[in-house]
């Protein structure tokens, strides 16, 4: 997505204000992608730490080459997984006739949900940095004037 146009235009008639919806959409998309990328870095780091506990993997460089994440731009989602089918990768995660199901990737994500939320909250708070009027909003300001909603 290209960088959006300026919000205001100045010409000889005066100042013209233009909608900034494109700029906000661009900012939201970029902040979302950055939050997903940093979340994936955390999960991959913790995944490699957990995989190093498997027998014979303490010094192996294969773990760094086989674990990967993909932050997809068009689908705006995150995929984390293993590049190839190996005993410590997909076979170990799902289990086969020769391997028990260990679920290391799943457990790594579940154990780090709090940290993932913290990372994403930091990026989404970046939106209020661009528009200071959003920084002080709270649920109290949106209550109905007659009191509690039923």
């Amino acid at each position: 997505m290209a960088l959006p146009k300026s919000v205001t235009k100045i010409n000889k008639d005066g100042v013209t204000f233009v909608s900034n919806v494109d700029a906000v959409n661009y900012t939201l998309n970029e902040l979302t992608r950055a939050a997903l990328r940093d979340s994936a870095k955390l999960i991959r780091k913790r995944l490699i730490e957990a995989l190093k506990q498997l027998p014979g993997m303490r010094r192996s460089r294969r773990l760094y080459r086989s674990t990967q994440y993909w932050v997809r731009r068009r689908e705006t989602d995150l995929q984390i997984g293993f590049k190839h089918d190996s005993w410590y990768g997909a076979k170990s995660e799902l289990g086969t006739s020769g391997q028990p199901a260990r679920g290391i990737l799943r457990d790594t994500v579940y154990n780090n949900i709090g940290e993932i939320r913290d990372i994403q909250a930091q990026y989404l708070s970046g939106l209020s940095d661009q528009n200071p009027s959003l920084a002080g909003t709270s649920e109290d300001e949106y209550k109905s004037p007659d009191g509690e909603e039923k």
Side-chain angles (χ1 to χ4, degrees), residues 11 18-19 21 26 35-36 47 57-58 65-66 74 78 80 85 95 105 111 124 127-129 136 145-146:
N11 54 20
V18 181
S19 174
V21 172
Y26 175 79
L36 289 174
L47 177 64
M57 289 298 184
R58 183 168 301 272
R65 294 185 196 117
S66 66
R74 187 173 296 154
L78 170 67
I80 300 175
D85 196 23
L105 176 60
N111 292 337
L124 293 179
L127 186 62
S128 63
D129 293 342
D146 296 332

Side-chain angles (χ1 to χ4, degrees), residues 15-48:
V15 177
T16 306
F17 291 99
V18 181
S19 174
N20 62 352
V21 172
D22 292 336
V24 171
N25 283 337
Y26 175 79
T27 304
L28 275 175
N29 287 337
E30 291 304 312
L31 287 174
T32 303
R33 288 185 63 238
L36 289 174
R37 187 173 48 247
D38 280 357
S39 300
K41 287 179 184 179
L42 171 77
I43 293 170
R44 182 176 179 265
K45 181 179 178 183
R46 301 287 165 85
L47 177 64
I48 290 172

Side-chain angles (χ1 to χ4, degrees), residues 84-139:
H84 46 76
D85 196 23
S86 58
W87 71 268
Y88 54 87
K91 288 182 181 177
S92 178
E93 184 71 24
L94 303 173
T96 62
S97 60
Q99 275 301 321
R102 292 187 177 98
I104 296 174
L105 176 60
R106 181 180 177 186
D107 291 341
T108 302
V109 173
Y110 282 160
N111 292 337
N112 294 301
I113 286 179
E115 293 180 41
I116 293 169
R117 285 184 180 162
D118 291 341
I119 289 171
Q120 293 183 354
Q122 287 176 346
Y123 277 98
L124 293 179
S125 68
L127 186 62
S128 63
D129 293 342
Q130 284 194 349
N131 189 355
S133 65
L134 294 175
T137 59
S138 67
E139 292 296 321

